[in-house]
Amino acid sequence: MKFIIKQSSLLEGLYRLGGVVGEKQNFPILNCVLVKTEKDKLKFISTSLEITIITYLESSIEEEGIVAIPFKRFVSIVRELPKEEVIVEAYKDNLHIKSEKIEFRINCINPEEFPEVEENIEESLIKLSISDLLEMIKMTSFCVGREELSYVFSGILFEIFESKINLVATDGKRLSFIQRPLPSTQPPINNKIKFILPIKSVYEVQKIIKDKEEVFIFVKGNDIGFDVKDTILITKTIEGEFPDYSQYIPQPTQDILTLKRSEFLSSLKRAQILSIPEYQGVKLNIQKTQMSISKSTPQLGELKEVINVSYTGTPLEISFNPNYLIDVLKNIDDEDVKFEIYGSDKPAVLRKDDFIYLVLPIKM
């Protein structure tokens, strides 16, 4: 195999692959990227067995072939080369990398050891808006369960039906739901598509769709693919049944707490300074026109401050983990924020443009 390629193009392509390489330390071949010549393009494949990324790069192919290259060493070399043409040539178990007066030789692994991965794309592709998908991931990913509560909580639920797409995430203490329409050029989906995407896969999807124009998804058994023209990500889904989240979302109430997002966010960040695992809660004393925010931690100290609010319900005290409020407030842009309050032992709900965030109070 021999090809010539611009250093910047090669490095950009390698960066797309890096997130899934090297996770299986007991399998050296999975620390490699498989490179194939395919007509006038190079095909790069990396896999962790759970996630596979395939990307294509334009190149001048002088000799066809296939090679498995240790990824980290290869990307480290390419990163330090001049921004000029790079000549890469594979000979037996060696890879020669040349650029101007620089020449590297590194050992490779037999490409036949590389596992077979799913590369076929289903014909029934579903078009998604990249801006909508990025926003939906941003508004749900912070709710994904990081603790060993339930495996199905360690990803984001995707639901695609008719002309809409829903994303839902929960860790059992809070829940985030967002809905957006499918692009107008996408025909309605008559058979509901539903799957849970692992959070690791979600982060890799974010990386490959950023700065792209359009993305298509395809479903093949337990595999989900995201296709952005020159790069394809194929991932295993999480097996299991996501709970019926709709039963936990209460009907709207007239008891509305309205406040300034930036002011409340700053107050919560100050309260968070005094948080430790044993004392996480922040107490909110909600009155008609004011709300006091207090935090007390025996080992550290205490805080109390008052902000102006508008509240249409009966005054009450309610406590939350400040992190759960900070996470949602820092991801929305509106300055005026409305929380629906159902009682001191009931969840608070924020609704905004087909986005719903529900957070449970804590006992103090």
Side-chain angles (χ1 to χ4, degrees):
M1 168 193 274
K2 185 178 181 180
F3 60 87
I4 302 172
I5 189 171
K6 284 282 190 182
Q7 183 266 1
S8 56
S9 298
L10 179 56
L11 190 61
E12 180 185 353
L14 291 173
Y15 281 158
R16 294 177 204 153
L17 304 165
V20 301
V21 181
E23 292 188 339
K24 309 283 186 180
Q25 297 297 329
N26 294 330
F27 299 93
I29 191 64
L30 297 184
N31 295 323
C32 294
V33 55
L34 189 70
V35 184
K36 300 180 182 180
T37 54
E38 199 163 279
K39 295 181 180 179
D40 59 343
K41 291 185 177 181
L42 291 170
K43 183 177 185 178
F44 290 73
I45 305 174
S46 66
T47 185
S48 66
L49 299 182
E50 287 81 24
I51 306 173
T52 297
I53 299 178
I54 304 168
T55 193
Y56 295 86
L57 298 178
E58 299 285 346
S59 173
S60 174
I61 309 295
E62 296 199 353
E63 185 179 335
E64 294 185 349
I66 181 171
V67 62
I69 310 171
F71 178 81
K72 289 186 177 180
R73 190 171 304 120
F74 189 38
V75 75
S76 296
I77 290 171
V78 173
R79 187 187 297 119
E80 299 305 325
L81 293 177
K83 293 180 171 56
E84 303 293 339
E85 285 189 338
V86 180
I87 302 171
V88 180
E89 185 174 7
Y91 180 72
K92 292 185 178 179
D93 294 333
N94 295 317
L95 189 77
H96 295 264
I97 307 163
K98 302 177 184 177
S99 179
E100 296 185 334
K101 297 180 180 181
I102 304 162
E103 183 172 347
F104 275 93
R105 181 187 64 81
I106 60 174
N107 296 332
C108 297
I109 295 180
N110 185 349
E112 293 182 0
E113 295 182 23
F114 201 86
E116 290 188 16
V117 296
E118 178 63 64
E119 298 183 39
N120 297 322
I121 301 175
E122 293 288 88
E123 294 181 359
S124 55
L125 299 177
I126 302 168
K127 185 177 182 179
L128 301 179
S129 162
I130 284 185
S131 59
D132 282 351
L133 183 56
L134 285 171
E135 179 199 17
M136 296 176 82
I137 290 173
K138 182 183 81 167
M139 299 304 293
T140 52
S141 57
F142 59 83
C143 274
V144 170
R146 301 303 199 274
E147 301 175 3
E148 298 296 328
L149 295 174
S150 174
Y151 189 49
V152 296
F153 290 169
S154 63
I156 296 178
L157 173 68
F158 281 63
E159 295 178 315
I160 306 172
F161 185 53
E162 296 180 341
S163 60
K164 296 188 181 298
I165 176 172
N166 301 333
L167 264 63
V168 188
T170 182
D171 60 5
K173 300 170 185 175
R174 52 184 171 166
L175 180 146
S176 184
F177 165 94
I178 187 167
Q179 182 180 88
R180 290 292 179 263
L182 295 176
S184 58
T185 54
Q186 169 62 46
I189 307 300
N190 296 321
N191 295 319
K192 189 173 185 178
I193 296 172
K194 184 177 178 180
F195 57 87
I196 306 170
L197 200 64
I199 191 62
K200 169 67 175 173
S201 302
V202 171
Y203 292 148
E204 293 303 317
V205 168
Q206 277 184 303
K207 286 196 286 187
I208 69 163
I209 70 175
K210 189 178 180 181
D211 301 324
K212 301 295 182 180
E213 295 179 0
E214 58 184 16
V215 59
F216 294 86
I217 72 167
F218 62 91
V219 181
K220 189 174 184 179
N222 288 330
D223 292 332
I224 304 295
F226 292 80
D227 182 2
V228 287
K229 190 177 180 180
D230 58 358
T231 302
I232 301 167
L233 182 147
I234 302 170
T235 176
K236 301 292 183 185
T237 58
I238 293 175
E239 296 185 18
E241 191 67 28
F242 201 87
D244 179 11
Y245 60 87
S246 62
Q247 65 179 317
Y248 301 110
I249 301 175
Q251 292 298 314
T253 178
Q254 298 301 312
D255 295 349
I256 307 294
L257 171 65
T258 305
L259 43 75
K260 295 295 182 183
R261 184 192 68 88
S262 57
E263 186 178 18
F264 189 33
L265 180 58
S266 295
S267 297
L268 291 169
K269 287 181 176 179
R270 286 189 285 270
Q272 187 186 37
I273 296 171
L274 298 180
S275 289
I276 59 174
E278 297 80 9
Y279 294 90
Q280 290 187 331
V282 58
K283 184 181 295 183
L284 308 180
N285 188 310
I286 308 173
Q287 303 297 318
K288 292 293 185 181
T289 60
Q290 289 187 328
M291 179 174 70
S292 69
I293 301 157
S294 58
K295 172 69 183 164
S296 178
T297 305
Q299 300 95 318
L300 301 179
E302 58 185 35
L303 162 80
K304 183 175 182 180
E305 61 178 286
V306 177
I307 63 173
N308 294 325
V309 301
S310 172
Y311 180 50
T312 59
T314 302
L316 56 74
E317 282 190 350
I318 188 168
S319 300
F320 294 102
N321 182 326
N323 293 317
Y324 294 169
L325 297 173
I326 289 171
D327 283 343
V328 68
L329 292 173
K330 70 182 183 183
N331 279 294
I332 57 179
D333 299 323
D334 293 0
E335 182 57 19
D336 291 320
V337 175
K338 298 179 184 295
F339 283 95
E340 299 174 17
I341 306 296
Y342 295 83
S344 58
D345 59 348
K346 301 290 194 303
V349 177
L350 185 155
R351 302 178 204 256
K352 172 187 176 295
D353 300 333
D354 292 323
F355 169 71
I356 300 174
Y357 181 71
L358 179 151
V359 56
L360 293 175
I362 61 176
K363 294 181 179 180
M364 294 187 64

